[in-house]
Tab-separated table of all heavy atoms in Angstrom:
chain	number	residue	atom	x	y	z
A	1330	PHE	N	-30.022	9.685	16.049
A	1330	PHE	CA	-30.659	8.923	17.130
A	1330	PHE	C	-32.082	9.504	17.228
A	1330	PHE	O	-32.288	10.606	17.502
A	1330	PHE	CB	-29.922	9.143	18.437
A	1330	PHE	CG	-28.608	8.413	18.497
A	1330	PHE	CD1	-27.428	9.125	18.516
A	1330	PHE	CD2	-28.456	7.030	18.490
A	1330	PHE	CE1	-26.190	8.477	18.601
A	1330	PHE	CE2	-27.353	6.308	18.591
A	1330	PHE	CZ	-26.203	7.107	18.605
A	1335	VAL	N	-26.964	13.245	14.371
A	1335	VAL	CA	-25.773	13.376	15.207
A	1335	VAL	C	-24.513	13.413	14.391
A	1335	VAL	O	-23.543	14.052	14.695
A	1335	VAL	CB	-25.726	12.170	16.123
A	1335	VAL	CG1	-24.423	12.080	16.808
A	1335	VAL	CG2	-26.841	12.260	17.218
A	1354	PRO	N	-16.394	19.940	20.932
A	1354	PRO	CA	-17.009	20.011	22.172
A	1354	PRO	C	-17.823	18.671	22.380
A	1354	PRO	O	-18.082	17.892	21.568
A	1354	PRO	CB	-18.026	21.192	22.042
A	1354	PRO	CG	-18.124	21.508	20.564
A	1354	PRO	CD	-16.878	20.967	19.983
A	1355	SER	N	-18.109	18.482	23.650
A	1355	SER	CA	-18.977	17.414	24.167
A	1355	SER	C	-20.175	17.410	23.316
A	1355	SER	O	-20.833	18.368	23.165
A	1355	SER	CB	-19.173	17.574	25.614
A	1355	SER	OG	-19.423	16.288	26.234
A	1356	GLY	N	-20.636	16.262	22.870
A	1356	GLY	CA	-21.806	16.111	22.104
A	1356	GLY	C	-21.700	16.495	20.649
A	1356	GLY	O	-22.729	16.553	19.852
A	1357	SER	N	-20.412	16.672	20.155
A	1357	SER	CA	-20.303	17.063	18.715
A	1357	SER	C	-20.309	15.842	17.807
A	1357	SER	O	-20.196	15.999	16.625
A	1357	SER	CB	-19.069	17.907	18.561
A	1357	SER	OG	-17.871	17.182	18.988
A	1358	GLY	N	-20.196	14.574	18.327
A	1358	GLY	CA	-20.401	13.388	17.478
A	1358	GLY	C	-19.026	12.511	17.451
A	1358	GLY	O	-19.112	11.646	16.627
A	1359	LYS	N	-18.064	12.832	18.074
A	1359	LYS	CA	-16.797	12.198	17.923
A	1359	LYS	C	-16.996	10.760	18.392
A	1359	LYS	O	-16.433	9.872	17.642
A	1359	LYS	CB	-15.683	12.800	19.035
A	1359	LYS	CG	-15.548	14.305	18.799
A	1359	LYS	CD	-14.462	14.846	19.714
A	1359	LYS	CE	-14.871	14.815	21.271
A	1359	LYS	NZ	-16.131	15.647	21.599
A	1360	THR	N	-17.579	10.371	19.552
A	1360	THR	CA	-17.676	8.940	19.853
A	1360	THR	C	-18.649	8.264	18.932
A	1360	THR	O	-18.247	7.079	18.522
A	1360	THR	CB	-18.429	8.895	21.279
A	1360	THR	OG1	-17.574	9.511	22.260
A	1360	THR	CG2	-18.725	7.506	21.702
A	1361	THR	N	-19.621	8.860	18.440
A	1361	THR	CA	-20.498	8.318	17.529
A	1361	THR	C	-19.761	7.965	16.161
A	1361	THR	O	-19.946	6.801	15.657
A	1361	THR	CB	-21.766	9.024	17.306
A	1361	THR	OG1	-22.412	9.448	18.503
A	1361	THR	CG2	-22.769	8.372	16.434
A	1370	GLU	N	-22.120	1.209	15.996
A	1370	GLU	CA	-23.359	1.833	15.621
A	1370	GLU	C	-23.419	1.748	14.160
A	1370	GLU	O	-22.472	1.652	13.330
A	1370	GLU	CB	-23.235	3.357	15.884
A	1370	GLU	CG	-23.116	3.829	17.331
A	1370	GLU	CD	-24.404	3.510	18.140
A	1370	GLU	OE1	-25.366	3.193	17.541
A	1370	GLU	OE2	-24.227	3.753	19.373
A	1486	GLU	N	-11.449	9.142	23.556
A	1486	GLU	CA	-10.991	9.938	24.755
A	1486	GLU	C	-10.346	9.128	25.798
A	1486	GLU	O	-10.854	8.974	27.051
A	1486	GLU	CB	-12.325	10.748	25.342
A	1486	GLU	CG	-12.894	11.695	24.194
A	1486	GLU	CD	-13.880	12.598	24.876
A	1486	GLU	OE1	-13.860	12.864	26.034
A	1486	GLU	OE2	-14.678	13.216	23.986
B	695	LIG	P1	-18.949	13.413	21.709
B	695	LIG	O1	-18.221	12.085	21.624
B	695	LIG	O2	-18.409	14.396	20.732
B	695	LIG	O3	-19.185	13.910	23.045
B	695	LIG	P2	-21.340	11.776	21.056
B	695	LIG	O4	-21.038	11.113	19.747
B	695	LIG	O5	-21.125	11.058	22.257
B	695	LIG	O6	-20.388	13.173	21.043
B	695	LIG	O7	-22.773	12.246	21.157
B	695	LIG	C1	-23.303	13.032	20.047
B	695	LIG	C2	-24.839	13.310	20.285
B	695	LIG	O8	-25.428	12.149	20.117
B	695	LIG	C3	-25.086	13.836	21.668
B	695	LIG	O9	-26.171	14.781	21.629
B	695	LIG	C4	-25.539	12.658	22.396
B	695	LIG	O10	-26.485	13.020	23.413
B	695	LIG	C5	-26.181	11.826	21.345
B	695	LIG	N1	-26.215	10.341	21.428
B	695	LIG	C6	-24.934	9.636	21.556
B	695	LIG	N2	-25.414	8.351	21.728
B	695	LIG	C7	-26.695	8.267	21.834
B	695	LIG	C8	-27.666	7.144	21.997
B	695	LIG	N3	-27.229	5.943	22.111
B	695	LIG	N4	-28.940	7.538	21.978
B	695	LIG	C9	-29.330	8.864	21.881
B	695	LIG	N5	-28.576	9.867	21.639
B	695	LIG	C10	-27.205	9.596	21.654
Side-chain angles (χ1 to χ4, degrees):
F1330 288 111
V1335 170
S1355 201
S1357 56
K1359 305 181 296 295
T1360 297
T1361 306
E1370 297 287 355
E1486 301 193 16

